[in-house]
Each structure stands twice: as structure tokens, then as C-alpha cells.
Amino acid sequence: MHAAPLPDPAETRDNATFEALLRALSRPGQVHGLPRPGLLPAALALVDLECAVFTDDPALAPALAGTGARLAEAAVADYLFLSGNPLAAAGSAPVGSALHPENGATLLIATGLSGGPALRLTGPGIDGSIRIA
């Protein structure tokens, strides 16, 4: 089996994307822009050798494998990078608790936020609930 090459180191040092993701992850349910759109810059900023990752995007899987992260099923992944049918995979993602939020997965979903079905977000890190569409 031949491993995919590691990403270009210049791409992995994208501090602006990392800082934007930290702001977004600390305020779930709010819209935040990223300096470089798409799941790949976010994945390169967040994952490392100790992560288990899932993606429903076949084009993203080789880049994720190239980071050294383990490709895994959605039910055991630390990070889920979703673009196709996100609700199917999101429903099986690990869920943390108020006492152990670190046991939950982080979901990054590539989607437009204009219309569509409404979702209610709840859980650790969210004050009450937030509705997005």
C-alpha cells in the first residue's frame, strides 16, 4: 500500500485559517468567514497524527490521509468533514457531555446558509440552543 504524500508545509502553516476556525468553534451556530473557503484548508489547520477523521467527500480523503490522521467511520471519528448528505453521517457522530465535551466529534459541514431545513443545535458549548437554516 502506498501512502499519500504529506501536504505542502506552506499549506499547513495557515495561521489565519486556524485562528478563524478557533473563533468559529468557540461560537457554534454563528456564521464565520474563512480566509480560504472549503474543507481542505480547515482540515489542514485542524488534524494531525493523533486524529481519527471521516469525510463523505472522496476527493478530500487522500489529503486527510496525507496529514497522517487515521481515516475512520463517522461513529468513532474526532472530526467529520461533510459536504454530501451531512445529516446521515452527523447522526452517527460521537456526542460529548457537559462533563466530558472532549468525547464528542467536531463536525465541519460545507454548505450554504440561506434557506433549507432548519436545524436546532444543542449541547456542550452552546448556551441553550441555536437554530440555523
Side-chain angles (χ1 to χ4, degrees), residues 20-110:
L21 286 166
L22 286 181
R23 283 192 301 278
L25 291 169
S26 67
R27 293 171 186 87
Q30 295 181 8
V31 177
H32 297 270
L34 293 175
R36 294 175 40 205
L39 292 174
L40 179 60
L44 294 176
L46 292 174
V47 302
D48 60 23
L49 296 171
E50 296 182 13
C51 297
V53 296
F54 171 84
T55 185
D56 62 356
D57 182 347
L60 185 59
L64 287 172
T67 66
R70 291 177 288 113
L71 296 178
E73 294 298 319
V76 295
D78 300 310
Y79 291 93
L80 284 77
F81 296 93
L82 306 172
S83 62
N85 182 4
L87 296 181
S92 63
V95 178
S97 67
L99 186 57
H100 293 287
E102 72 277 6
N103 291 338
T106 299
L107 281 67
L108 287 94
I109 302 172

Side-chain angles (χ1 to χ4, degrees), residues 6-18 36 39-46 60 63 67:
L6 291 175
D8 181 339
E11 288 188 48
T12 63
R13 289 190 301 258
D14 185 355
N15 289 338
T17 296
F18 182 74
R36 294 175 40 205
L39 292 174
L40 179 60
L44 294 176
L46 292 174
L60 185 59
T67 66

